[in-house]
Tab-separated table of all heavy atoms in Angstrom:
chain	number	residue	atom	x	y	z
X	122	VAL	N	7.128	-1.966	17.327
X	122	VAL	CA	7.337	-0.512	17.233
X	122	VAL	C	6.000	0.193	16.988
X	122	VAL	O	5.702	1.210	17.605
X	122	VAL	CB	8.351	-0.188	16.105
X	122	VAL	CG1	8.251	1.259	15.659
X	122	VAL	CG2	9.766	-0.477	16.570
X	123	LEU	N	5.198	-0.385	16.091
X	123	LEU	CA	3.902	0.235	15.795
X	123	LEU	C	2.998	0.221	17.024
X	123	LEU	O	2.324	1.197	17.332
X	123	LEU	CB	3.211	-0.498	14.629
X	123	LEU	CG	3.845	-0.312	13.249
X	123	LEU	CD1	3.150	-1.190	12.219
X	123	LEU	CD2	3.770	1.145	12.807
X	124	GLU	N	3.005	-0.899	17.736
X	124	GLU	CA	2.171	-1.017	18.938
X	124	GLU	C	2.593	0.018	19.982
X	124	GLU	O	1.766	0.712	20.566
X	124	GLU	CB	2.290	-2.438	19.512
X	124	GLU	CG	1.401	-2.661	20.704
X	124	GLU	CD	1.377	-4.115	21.160
X	124	GLU	OE1	2.155	-4.925	20.626
X	124	GLU	OE2	0.580	-4.422	22.061
X	125	GLU	N	3.909	0.112	20.169
X	125	GLU	CA	4.456	1.061	21.137
X	125	GLU	C	4.115	2.494	20.733
X	125	GLU	O	3.734	3.314	21.571
X	125	GLU	CB	5.967	0.881	21.148
X	125	GLU	CG	6.596	1.203	22.462
X	125	GLU	CD	8.092	0.916	22.442
X	125	GLU	OE1	8.559	0.096	21.630
X	125	GLU	OE2	8.785	1.544	23.241
X	126	THR	N	4.218	2.770	19.430
X	126	THR	CA	3.912	4.111	18.921
X	126	THR	C	2.459	4.466	19.208
X	126	THR	O	2.166	5.543	19.733
X	126	THR	CB	4.164	4.171	17.395
X	126	THR	OG1	5.522	3.840	17.160
X	126	THR	CG2	3.868	5.533	16.824
X	127	LEU	N	1.546	3.559	18.860
X	127	LEU	CA	0.127	3.856	19.029
X	127	LEU	C	-0.231	3.987	20.506
X	127	LEU	O	-0.979	4.887	20.892
X	127	LEU	CB	-0.740	2.782	18.358
X	127	LEU	CG	-0.544	2.629	16.839
X	127	LEU	CD1	-1.541	1.621	16.268
X	127	LEU	CD2	-0.700	3.953	16.113
X	128	ASN	N	0.326	3.096	21.339
X	128	ASN	CA	0.031	3.173	22.783
X	128	ASN	C	0.489	4.498	23.379
X	128	ASN	O	-0.199	5.080	24.206
X	128	ASN	CB	0.705	2.025	23.532
X	128	ASN	CG	-0.085	0.740	23.414
X	128	ASN	OD1	-1.275	0.759	23.095
X	128	ASN	ND2	0.562	-0.383	23.648
X	129	THR	N	1.647	4.978	22.939
X	129	THR	CA	2.178	6.230	23.496
X	129	THR	C	1.449	7.432	22.905
X	129	THR	O	1.138	8.392	23.609
X	129	THR	CB	3.695	6.337	23.239
X	129	THR	OG1	4.294	5.080	23.560
X	129	THR	CG2	4.331	7.423	24.067
X	130	LEU	N	1.177	7.361	21.611
X	130	LEU	CA	0.483	8.465	20.934
X	130	LEU	C	-0.909	8.686	21.528
X	130	LEU	O	-1.324	9.824	21.764
X	130	LEU	CB	0.368	8.110	19.450
X	130	LEU	CG	0.071	9.206	18.442
X	130	LEU	CD1	1.156	10.255	18.445
X	130	LEU	CD2	-0.041	8.596	17.046
X	131	PHE	N	-1.617	7.593	21.768
X	131	PHE	CA	-2.993	7.709	22.264
X	131	PHE	C	-3.094	7.495	23.784
X	131	PHE	O	-4.188	7.527	24.340
X	131	PHE	CB	-3.889	6.681	21.554
X	131	PHE	CG	-3.900	6.827	20.055
X	131	PHE	CD1	-3.626	5.748	19.229
X	131	PHE	CD2	-4.179	8.052	19.476
X	131	PHE	CE1	-3.629	5.886	17.848
X	131	PHE	CE2	-4.182	8.206	18.096
X	131	PHE	CZ	-3.909	7.111	17.284
X	132	LEU	N	-1.946	7.232	24.406
X	132	LEU	CA	-1.879	6.969	25.857
X	132	LEU	C	-2.800	5.815	26.244
X	132	LEU	O	-3.625	5.911	27.165
X	132	LEU	CB	-2.198	8.233	26.660
X	132	LEU	CG	-1.358	9.468	26.317
X	132	LEU	CD1	-1.789	10.679	27.129
X	132	LEU	CD2	0.123	9.194	26.540
X	133	THR	N	-2.711	4.733	25.484
X	133	THR	CA	-3.489	3.529	25.769
X	133	THR	C	-2.542	2.447	26.288
X	133	THR	O	-1.350	2.688	26.471
X	133	THR	CB	-4.209	3.028	24.497
X	133	THR	OG1	-3.234	2.895	23.464
X	133	THR	CG2	-5.291	3.980	24.058
X	134	GLY	N	-3.029	1.254	26.449
X	134	GLY	CA	-2.209	0.151	26.954
X	134	GLY	C	-2.077	0.257	28.455
X	134	GLY	O	-3.036	0.610	29.154
X	135	LYS	N	-0.851	0.005	28.954
X	135	LYS	CA	-0.649	0.069	30.410
X	135	LYS	C	-0.786	1.519	30.895
X	135	LYS	O	-0.380	2.441	30.187
X	135	LYS	CB	0.720	-0.493	30.764
X	135	LYS	CG	0.732	-1.988	30.465
X	135	LYS	CD	1.968	-2.679	30.857
X	135	LYS	CE	1.788	-4.174	30.616
X	135	LYS	NZ	2.944	-4.790	30.017
X	136	PRO	N	-1.368	1.735	32.104
X	136	PRO	CA	-1.620	3.106	32.557
X	136	PRO	C	-0.349	3.946	32.661
X	136	PRO	O	0.711	3.438	33.033
X	136	PRO	CB	-2.256	2.912	33.932
X	136	PRO	CG	-2.325	1.474	34.193
X	136	PRO	CD	-1.785	0.713	33.054
X	137	PHE	N	-0.486	5.196	32.280
X	137	PHE	CA	0.633	6.142	32.374
X	137	PHE	C	0.492	6.891	33.700
X	137	PHE	O	-0.501	7.585	33.914
X	137	PHE	CB	0.606	7.121	31.198
X	137	PHE	CG	1.032	6.506	29.891
X	137	PHE	CD1	0.153	5.710	29.159
X	137	PHE	CD2	2.320	6.694	29.407
X	137	PHE	CE1	0.551	5.124	27.963
X	137	PHE	CE2	2.727	6.108	28.214
X	137	PHE	CZ	1.841	5.324	27.484
X	138	GLU	N	1.471	6.708	34.577
X	138	GLU	CA	1.387	7.345	35.892
X	138	GLU	C	2.379	8.491	36.002
X	138	GLU	O	3.586	8.283	35.852
X	138	GLU	CB	1.631	6.295	36.982
X	138	GLU	CG	0.417	5.389	37.153
X	138	GLU	CD	0.760	4.061	37.796
X	138	GLU	OE1	1.901	3.901	38.273
X	138	GLU	OE2	-0.120	3.183	37.798
X	139	LYS	N	1.834	9.656	36.275
X	139	LYS	CA	2.668	10.865	36.330
X	139	LYS	C	3.330	11.025	37.687
X	139	LYS	O	2.708	10.774	38.720
X	139	LYS	CB	1.813	12.105	36.076
X	139	LYS	CG	1.403	12.285	34.625
X	139	LYS	CD	1.008	13.718	34.353
X	139	LYS	CE	-0.149	14.153	35.178
X	139	LYS	NZ	-1.434	14.272	34.585
X	140	GLY	N	4.591	11.454	37.672
X	140	GLY	CA	5.284	11.790	38.909
X	140	GLY	C	5.114	13.276	39.187
X	140	GLY	O	4.284	13.941	38.555
X	141	GLU	N	5.917	13.799	40.095
X	141	GLU	CA	5.800	15.219	40.443
X	141	GLU	C	6.279	16.107	39.307
X	141	GLU	O	7.342	15.874	38.726
X	141	GLU	CB	6.628	15.502	41.697
X	141	GLU	CG	5.768	15.497	42.940
X	141	GLU	CD	6.583	15.821	44.170
X	141	GLU	OE1	7.326	16.804	44.132
X	141	GLU	OE2	6.459	15.061	45.144
X	142	ALA	N	5.494	17.132	39.023
X	142	ALA	CA	5.821	18.005	37.890
X	142	ALA	C	6.977	18.950	38.218
X	142	ALA	O	7.194	19.323	39.362
X	142	ALA	CB	4.586	18.812	37.516
X	143	LEU	N	7.711	19.283	37.170
X	143	LEU	CA	8.786	20.283	37.276
X	143	LEU	C	8.499	21.346	36.230
X	143	LEU	O	7.871	21.039	35.200
X	143	LEU	CB	10.147	19.628	36.989
X	143	LEU	CG	10.572	18.495	37.927
X	143	LEU	CD1	11.666	17.659	37.276
X	143	LEU	CD2	11.059	19.061	39.245
X	144	ILE	N	8.945	22.554	36.453
X	144	ILE	CA	8.741	23.585	35.425
X	144	ILE	C	10.076	24.183	34.998
X	144	ILE	O	11.040	24.161	35.752
X	144	ILE	CB	7.784	24.724	35.878
X	144	ILE	CG1	8.216	25.290	37.228
X	144	ILE	CG2	6.348	24.265	35.934
X	144	ILE	CD1	7.559	26.614	37.543
X	145	THR	N	10.081	24.713	33.788
X	145	THR	CA	11.295	25.361	33.298
X	145	THR	C	11.409	26.734	33.973
X	145	THR	O	10.422	27.245	34.496
X	145	THR	CB	11.241	25.547	31.762
X	145	THR	OG1	10.018	26.204	31.447
X	145	THR	CG2	11.301	24.222	31.043
X	146	HIS	N	12.582	27.307	33.932
X	146	HIS	CA	12.814	28.618	34.553
X	146	HIS	C	11.807	29.651	34.068
X	146	HIS	O	11.262	30.438	34.834
X	146	HIS	CB	14.234	29.109	34.228
X	146	HIS	CG	15.231	28.569	35.190
X	146	HIS	ND1	15.320	29.016	36.487
X	146	HIS	CD2	16.185	27.622	35.043
X	146	HIS	CE1	16.285	28.354	37.097
X	146	HIS	NE2	16.824	27.499	36.242
X	147	SER	N	11.526	29.629	32.736
X	147	SER	CA	10.617	30.623	32.163
X	147	SER	C	9.166	30.334	32.545
X	147	SER	O	8.309	31.202	32.413
X	147	SER	CB	10.755	30.602	30.636
X	147	SER	OG	10.420	29.316	30.167
X	148	GLY	N	8.903	29.115	32.968
X	148	GLY	CA	7.534	28.740	33.329
X	148	GLY	C	6.683	28.371	32.135
X	148	GLY	O	5.493	28.124	32.256
X	149	ASP	N	7.305	28.320	30.922
X	149	ASP	CA	6.548	28.021	29.705
X	149	ASP	C	6.222	26.534	29.560
X	149	ASP	O	5.259	26.168	28.894
X	149	ASP	CB	7.349	28.457	28.461
X	149	ASP	CG	7.468	29.964	28.383
X	149	ASP	OD1	6.673	30.630	29.060
X	149	ASP	OD2	8.353	30.446	27.658
X	150	TYR	N	7.049	25.705	30.119
X	150	TYR	CA	6.871	24.268	29.948
X	150	TYR	C	6.828	23.545	31.291
X	150	TYR	O	7.521	23.920	32.229
X	150	TYR	CB	8.012	23.679	29.098
X	150	TYR	CG	8.020	24.221	27.702
X	150	TYR	CD1	8.875	25.261	27.352
X	150	TYR	CD2	7.152	23.713	26.754
X	150	TYR	CE1	8.861	25.790	26.070
X	150	TYR	CE2	7.135	24.239	25.464
X	150	TYR	CZ	7.986	25.267	25.130
X	150	TYR	OH	7.958	25.783	23.870
Side-chain angles (χ1 to χ4, degrees):
Chain X
V122 161
L123 290 175
E124 183 172 7
E125 209 176 336
T126 301
L127 299 185
N128 280 341
T129 315
L130 198 61
F131 302 127
L132 306 178
T133 53
K135 293 184 175 137
F137 286 79
E138 285 158 9
K139 286 200 299 255
E141 262 182 49
L143 299 161
I144 51 165
T145 52
H146 275 287
S147 60
D149 292 342
Y150 296 98

